[in-house]
Amino acid sequence: MMARFYVGVGALALWAGLAQADGHQPFAVGEGDFTWDSYTEFAEKYDLTGQTVEITGPWTGNEKEKVDKAFSYFASATGATVNYSGSDSFEQDIVISARSGSAPNLAVFPQPGLAADLASQGLLTPLPDGTADWIRDNYAAGQSWVDLGTYADADGVDQMYGIFYRVDVKSLVWYSPIAFDESGYDIPETMEELKELTDLIVEDGGTPWCIGLGSGAATGWPATDWVEEMMLRTQSPEDYDAWVSNEMKFDDPKVVAAMEEFGYFALNDAYVDGGASAVANTDFRDSPSGLFSIPPRCYMHRQASFIPAFFPEGTVLGEDVDFFYFPAYAEKDLGKPVLGAGTVFAITNPSEATNAFIEFLKTPIAHELWMAQGGFLTPHAGVNTDTYLEDSLRAQGDILLNATTFRFDGSDLMPGEIGAGAFWSGMVDYTTGAPAAEVAKGIQDRWDAIQ
């Protein structure tokens, strides 16, 4: 506890001192916590006095405050000015500015699909030579991040356009440590063990899972995450990519089998709080509440890292609730795949200072400066994970660093009519009685119709 305390205090003092600094040297409080060598080595390479880097992205409010603090160290190191502007309508704004020739130097895309679209229109500039090799060597599951940042240019040639900075983890199962301890349950390390635990809880008279798909007009999306998780745990990463791009059809037996893997948990009345019929009608924000009831209405809830925002007020992470990695099948030997999302930097208006900023993003301290403020995860293998603000973030960061494969949320990469339409509604149909093969064919028919 003491070490974490000093990380936080050091960071706060560092930022307070920055306001009094001369703009070129950081207020060096917290040495030993942050990887200052990476900052010093970077600063020695660049003098960009008088140059400016304009950046736009989706971070606003509190997130903008955090990123401004982190990016101010690029200015301190180089003498350049960094101007970051966040927008709630980023996706529309960046398309307009890029097509009109008025784009900033860098854009932070919350989904790689939009970056790929702009690259195909010749509106992005490839990253500096060697970036792909650097990512392979320095990011956990490096090839995954290279793949996610590589898009076809206007001539159809694949090039490296994107470098990821700040990501989210979805492959989490939330549970009550108190309930597990009282029942003598161990954390499952494989999918086989997770299924055994599910049956054991039922044998003991409990209900293993809380699952809810309700989300207003977006009802159904939580089930798409389940299917994506199951695709990564039953099929190869290449098959996952082919499915997301529609090279593998939605009604392929491999996809149908992944849907039925979700159904193994969701369609068994004994496995789900309220029974299978409650799955489609339970709001995803309410579904984890069963973890906190006495006695618990459920013991596990699969959901992304954001779900604590909907836990009861006063919930203490690590005590009242915790999480473990949603495991893979040991028998399938597919490693430890992780599903998630994240933001990707791409060059929309090149310059010397812009290339330098990409190099800054490669330094551990560029990540640690936000890690210490909270709300940030990174696959950068060179960071000091002690700088994470909270134990829960550190544990999620470890899941990222131990991943053998990372894949972006598939529905977010599909055309909107599919990923945010037919896929959502199709999963509701599946949980309310439609056969998986029939649902999958309907989604594929819709995909064929829009091409």
Side-chain angles (χ1 to χ4, degrees), residues 55-61 63-64 67-68 83-90 93:
I55 305 172
T56 188
W59 301 315
T60 59
E63 290 183 332
K64 182 182 186 303
V67 77
D68 282 342
N83 294 323
Y84 169 79
S85 60
S87 172
D88 292 330
S89 57
F90 163 80
D93 295 344

Side-chain angles (χ1 to χ4, degrees), residues 92-168:
Q92 293 76 31
D93 295 344
I94 190 59
V95 171
I96 293 170
S97 63
R99 289 176 176 171
S100 66
S102 59
N105 301 109
L106 290 158
V108 188
F109 294 87
Q111 293 182 1
L114 179 56
D117 287 344
L118 294 186
S120 70
Q121 299 170 40
L123 299 176
L124 298 184
T125 298
L127 296 178
D129 291 343
T131 300
D133 289 338
W134 183 90
I135 291 174
R136 287 190 191 96
D137 292 340
N138 291 277
Y139 272 26
Q143 186 60 48
S144 296
W145 300 102
V146 171
D147 294 343
L148 285 168
T150 299
Y151 319 124
D153 64 15
D155 296 321
V157 178
D158 286 343
Q159 301 203 61
M160 187 75 187
Y161 286 100
I163 180 170
F164 277 80
Y165 177 83
R166 192 193 184 201
V167 302
D168 301 303

Side-chain angles (χ1 to χ4, degrees), residues 220-264:
W221 72 259
T224 70
D225 285 0
W226 272 90
V227 175
E228 291 153 8
E229 297 275 21
M230 291 307 186
M231 278 293 292
L232 289 174
R233 282 154 180 77
T234 59
Q235 308 301 329
S236 70
E238 293 75 20
D239 281 340
Y240 181 92
D241 296 339
W243 168 56
V244 169
S245 65
N246 201 29
E247 293 176 26
M248 176 188 291
K249 300 306 179 183
F250 220 107
D251 53 354
D252 186 282
K254 294 179 179 180
V255 182
V256 174
M259 294 172 63
E260 291 174 338
E261 283 286 314
F262 163 59
Y264 173 89

Side-chain angles (χ1 to χ4, degrees), residues 46-58:
Y46 296 98
D47 181 359
L48 303 173
T49 304
Q51 298 189 42
T52 299
V53 179
E54 300 284 347
I55 305 172
T56 188

